[in-house]
């Protein structure tokens, strides 16, 4: 079994092969075109005979099966194959109306043939015209003396007569004789135009002249393809005898139409190759993403968060009907799991990074577990669809309380401090990642305020104990952002009094190295004007 890349390679190779074949089949026909365009049949009074005819100096690939011509003593002959072969003289060829005028060779200047055979034609290629009429010749008639002419039949003279239905009769006593043979020969109806009344007698001389004038046939040799399409594009029509189908030979150098065809073909192939390349890239990306997911699931085992399909995400959110809010990376929708639990689904729309980044983010989120942090339930990673599934919080998220107008009244500093200490415990083994300029700026601003020792005017909102709690929270926050896990102290160190707490070093990711400074741990040090 071929791999996807092998299959794509074979597909691209096939497209180039087809284009190359089309180009060769279009341009390698110059010789055939020149031959079919210049080698015309000349015979007697008939000149420059082309498609669908072939023969003499004209190759068969320039004609159509069943249209072979031979020139014999300035008489052009054609053999029309049906149940048996009959030869006809070609009196005239009309390319415009696609008609032939033929005369039976055995009846040309003669009405007593050596054999008595009805006229037969190949109805797949030819058809009689509306200008034709049939003469029926009767042979081997007796008594012969009653007949208008006599012919030799089986070595003996026998009588004969003719009839032309709906036109003329050459014998009034046809009921008085008995005949052994009858042959039907078509002629032009116009040969009897002087007969004003139907049934009027016609002499044998008039019949002989009608046989010489012949009759008409229409031919069908891929007329629409050759005369409309091929000739319309300045090509020469021919026939592929091996594949049994008509072909069109073009001259050297493309016509405007052929240029357009070649350009269109090249464009199609170019687009196809581009699409193949995109498919290969997408398959490679999906394969890499799949490998990342499999590695993530293997590393986390039974502790890995549940992976949902995008169809499951649509189902649990009822096609994203109940929208809770909109963030910078997408919308958040209310949903419901099959067990009845309510969830909040964050559907990411402004994707950054690759699949590996997303899986790493999922891994980081799944390692964070705290009573005050919304529970992470699972994720969706399917093609370009990515979503995060959290437990639904009816009263809103923690930031609503922390950054609200009445923060102190809603939670109180004691609760905020407890949350901060718990967050340090959760982040001791977590990887710190910096992804925005605000994270780089804000810690520096905090350290700067501590260095400057600015006093806070809290307008009497905080008492002395609350100010100490506030300073503890600031110090705890600075310990939280240490990039080296070894610098993150255990929770017990943060539960002592303010004087026992140390100001942590400035993380290297947040600011360039700078000289050591002694920071006062006095609760009067504040960050005036920012409400911290």
């Amino acid at each position: 079994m071929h791999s996807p890349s092998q299959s794509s390679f074979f597909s691209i190779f096939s497209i180039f092969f087809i284009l190359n074949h089309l180009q060769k089949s279009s341009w390698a026909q110059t010789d055939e075109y020149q031959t079919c365009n210049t080698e015309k049949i000349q015979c007697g009074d008939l000149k420059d005979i082309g498609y669908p005819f072939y023969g003499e100096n004209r190759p068969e690939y320039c004609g159509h099966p069943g249209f072979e011509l031979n020139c014999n003593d300035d008489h052009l002959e054609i053999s029309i194959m049906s149940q048996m072969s009959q030869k006809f003289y070609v009196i005239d060829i009309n390319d415009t109306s696609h008609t032939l005028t033929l005369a039976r060779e055995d009846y040309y200047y003669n009405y007593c043939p050596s054999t008595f055979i009805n006229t037969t034609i190949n109805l797949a290629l030819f058809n009689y015209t509306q200008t034709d009429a049939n003469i029926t010749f009767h042979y081997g008639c007796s008594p012969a003396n009653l007949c208008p002419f006599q012919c030799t039949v089986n070595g003996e003279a026998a009588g004969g007569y003719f009839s032309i239905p709906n036109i003329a009769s050459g014998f009034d006593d046809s009921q008085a004789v008995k005949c052994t043979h009858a042959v039907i020969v078509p002629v032009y109806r116009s040969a009897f135009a002087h007969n004003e009344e139907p049934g009027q007698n016609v002499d044998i001389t008039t019949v002989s002249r009608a046989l010489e004038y012949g009759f008409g046939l229409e031919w069908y040799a891929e007329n629409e393809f050759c005369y409309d399409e091929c000739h319309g594009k300045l090509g020469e029509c021919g026939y592929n005898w091996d594949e049994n189908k008509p072909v069109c030979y073009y001259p050297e150098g493309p016509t405007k139409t052929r240029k357009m065809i070649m350009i269109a073909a090249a464009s199609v192939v170019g687009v196809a190759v581009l699409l193949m390349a995109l498919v290969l890239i997408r398959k490679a990306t999906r394969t890499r993403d799949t490998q990342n997911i499999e590695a993530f699931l293997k590393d986390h085992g039974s502790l890995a968060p549940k992976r949902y399909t995008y169809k499951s995400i649509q189902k649990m959110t009822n096609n994203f009907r109940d929208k809770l809010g909109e963030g910078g990376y997408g919308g958040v929708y209310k949903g419901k799991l099959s067990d009845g639990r309510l969830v909040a689904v964050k559907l990411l729309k402004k994707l950054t990074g690759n699949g590996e980044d997303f899986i790493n983010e999922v891994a980081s989120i799944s390692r964070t577990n705290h009573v005050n942090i919304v529970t992470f339930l699972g994720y969706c990673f399917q093609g370009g669809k990515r979503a995060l599934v959290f437990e639904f919080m009816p009263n809103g998220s923690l930031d609503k309380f922390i950054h609200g107008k009445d923060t102190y009244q809603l939670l109180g500093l004691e609760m905020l401090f407890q949350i901060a200490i718990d967050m340090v415990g959760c982040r001791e083994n977590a990887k710190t990642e910096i992804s925005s300029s605000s994270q780089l700026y804000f810690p520096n601003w905090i350290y700067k305020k501590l260095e400057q020792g600015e006093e806070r005017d809290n307008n009497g909102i905080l008492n002395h104990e609350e100010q100490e709690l506030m300073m503890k929270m600031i110090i705890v926050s600075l310990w939280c952002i240490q990039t080296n896990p070894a610098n993150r102290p255990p929770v017990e160190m943060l539960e002592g009094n303010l004087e026992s707490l140390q100001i942590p070093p400035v993380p290297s990711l947040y600011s360039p190295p700078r000289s050591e400074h002694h920071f006062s741990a006095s609760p009067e040090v504040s960050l005036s004007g920012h409400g911290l």
Side-chain angles (χ1 to χ4, degrees), residues 321-334:
R321 179 173 297 181
D322 189 355
K323 190 171 186 179
L324 300 175
E326 181 77 21
Y329 291 93
V332 180
Y333 302 87
K334 185 177 181 180

Side-chain angles (χ1 to χ4, degrees), residues 211-452:
L211 293 173
E212 181 184 346
Y213 292 162
F215 63 98
L217 284 182
E218 295 178 340
W219 78 68
Y220 298 92
E222 312 294 341
N223 294 357
E224 291 79 8
F225 171 78
C226 288
Y227 296 105
D228 297 338
E229 183 176 342
C230 183
H231 288 181
K233 297 175 182 177
L234 304 180
E236 281 288 335
C237 203
Y239 201 85
N240 188 325
W241 291 66
D242 294 331
E243 298 181 8
N244 194 30
K245 65 179 183 180
V247 293
C248 188
Y249 306 120
Y250 292 99
E252 183 176 3
T255 63
K256 181 178 180 181
T257 302
R258 292 184 66 231
K259 281 184 178 179
M260 295 176 64
I261 293 175
M262 294 300 295
I263 292 173
S267 300
V268 170
V269 173
V271 171
V273 172
L274 179 60
L275 290 176
M276 286 293 181
L278 292 176
V279 169
L280 287 175
I281 294 173
R282 187 171 183 180
K283 283 184 177 180
T285 302
R286 286 185 175 181
T287 300
R288 184 171 62 252
D289 290 344
T290 301
Q291 292 173 347
N292 291 335
I293 294 174
E294 291 176 351
F296 168 70
L297 295 176
K298 182 178 179 180
D299 292 341
H300 289 73
S302 60
L303 299 178
K306 183 175 181 179
R307 183 185 180 188
Y308 294 94
T309 64
Y310 186 70
K311 187 175 181 180
S312 299
I313 296 294
Q314 288 179 306
K315 183 177 180 181
M316 70 174 66
T317 60
N318 198 9
N319 280 327
F320 311 104
R321 179 173 297 181
D322 189 355
K323 190 171 186 179
L324 300 175
E326 181 77 21
Y329 291 93
V332 180
Y333 302 87
K334 185 177 181 180
K336 186 176 183 180
L337 299 180
S338 57
D339 59 5
R341 284 183 295 168
L342 296 179
V343 293
V345 178
K346 185 175 184 179
L347 186 64
L348 306 180
K349 63 179 181 180
K350 295 182 180 180
L351 304 180
T352 58
N354 52 30
E356 184 176 358
D357 295 334
F358 178 75
I359 291 300
N360 289 337
E361 182 180 355
V362 170
S364 177
I365 296 174
S366 65
R367 287 194 296 264
T368 304
N369 185 22
H370 186 265
V371 67
N372 290 308
I373 301 178
V374 63
T375 304
F376 178 59
L377 300 178
Y379 66 100
C380 170
F381 186 9
Q382 183 175 333
K385 306 294 186 182
R386 305 178 191 181
L388 301 173
V389 182
F390 299 91
E391 68 171 331
F392 177 71
M393 298 181 64
N395 296 323
S397 60
L398 184 61
D399 66 320
K400 173 181 176 182
F401 295 92
I402 295 177
H403 300 297
K405 183 177 180 181
D406 299 321
T407 299
Y408 306 127
Q409 286 75 13
L410 289 173
L411 292 178
L413 289 174
E414 296 258 359
M415 175 62 74
L416 292 175
F417 181 64
Q418 183 61 42
I419 293 174
I421 291 178
D422 290 343
M423 287 295 294
V424 173
C426 291
R427 291 180 55 90
E428 283 184 9
N429 297 319
K431 178 181 177 182
T432 302
E433 296 182 355
I434 305 302
S435 60
S436 67
S437 60
S438 63
Q439 287 176 291
L440 293 172
Y441 172 78
F442 187 68
N444 286 337
W445 182 81
I446 295 290
Y447 276 98
K448 183 178 179 181
K449 293 298 182 181
L450 291 176
E451 290 176 351
Q452 294 174 351

